[in-house]
Amino acid sequence: MTSVLDLAPVIPVVVIDDAADAVPLARALVAGGLPAIEVPLRTPAALDAIRAIASEVPDAAVGAGTVISAEGVAASVAAGARFLVSPGWTDALLDAMQSSGVPFLPGVSTTSEVVALLERGVDQMKFFPAEAAGGTPYLKSLAGPLPQARFCPTGGITRASAPSYLDLPNVGCVGGTWMLPADAFAAGDWTRVESLAREAAQLGTAR
């Protein structure tokens, strides 16, 4: 894999509290056409979930999200993460990500952060928190002066708003959680998750 942005139009952001849910959830998402799955390092089960998906769902491209330290980078890659996503970045974190051997999306929310990453040779980024940081108007305004930068907007994006992001020339994919309703997750209703994933995957067919 060389680019996270080209795996699928939507990357599900899956906060997992019980690692036992990881494999059936990943299988449902892959069956629905969403092979790239971001598991944020926000719970004690996250690394075990990444490890389980990496070993048992070969068609999934599982990644680690909320990576905020060099230690997190190392632990994620060791668990089998095939890509890394951070909410923001520092020089130390970027150094670790660039040395990790896997694709990564450092988080940005300002023009200066974008320019600083371009200066470091990074042209693929996470735009976060997307809605709070200016949404589609902000990203559209960046496309003129900084056309070489491409983004995965994440944060507050819904089924209704995702198409407007995906229509932008500098957006490769979006991150979201709408295909993972809490009641379906709690009930283990993976058939419903698969159906919602299939709807999300179709958002990129017109591109």
Side-chain angles (χ1 to χ4, degrees), residues 78-171:
R82 294 178 58 189
F83 64 90
L84 306 169
V85 183
S86 69
W89 66 279
T90 64
D91 286 329
L93 179 57
L94 189 62
D95 287 343
M97 286 183 158
Q98 289 182 312
S99 300
S100 69
V102 300
F104 57 92
L105 296 174
V108 297
S109 60
T110 69
T111 306
S112 294
E113 290 170 326
V114 175
V115 172
L117 282 178
L118 291 173
E119 193 175 79
R120 293 282 303 268
V122 178
D123 60 7
Q124 299 188 7
M125 312 166 194
K126 173 180 178 176
F127 179 59
F128 177 82
E131 287 289 285
T136 54
Y138 192 93
L139 285 173
K140 187 181 295 185
S141 72
L142 292 181
L146 301 169
Q148 65 272 54
R150 297 179 68 216
F151 301 94
C152 174
T154 306
I157 298 176
T158 65
R159 168 64 180 82
S161 64
S164 63
Y165 282 95
L166 291 169
D167 283 342
L168 297 176
N170 56 351
V171 169

Side-chain angles (χ1 to χ4, degrees), residues 4 7-16 22 25-42 50 53 60-66 83 85 105 126 152-155 157 173-181 185 193-194 196-201 203:
V4 181
L7 288 172
V10 178
I11 296 180
V13 181
V14 187
V15 178
I16 296 179
L25 174 60
R27 286 176 175 157
L29 292 171
V30 170
L34 299 181
I37 302 167
E38 177 185 337
V39 179
L41 303 183
R42 300 181 197 169
I50 291 170
I53 295 170
V62 63
T66 319
F83 64 90
V85 183
L105 296 174
K126 173 180 178 176
C152 174
T154 306
I157 298 176
C173 62
V174 300
T177 60
W178 73 85
M179 73 297 298
L180 300 161
F185 203 117
V193 170
E194 179 181 338
L196 291 171
R198 186 168 290 108
E199 291 178 7
L203 295 177

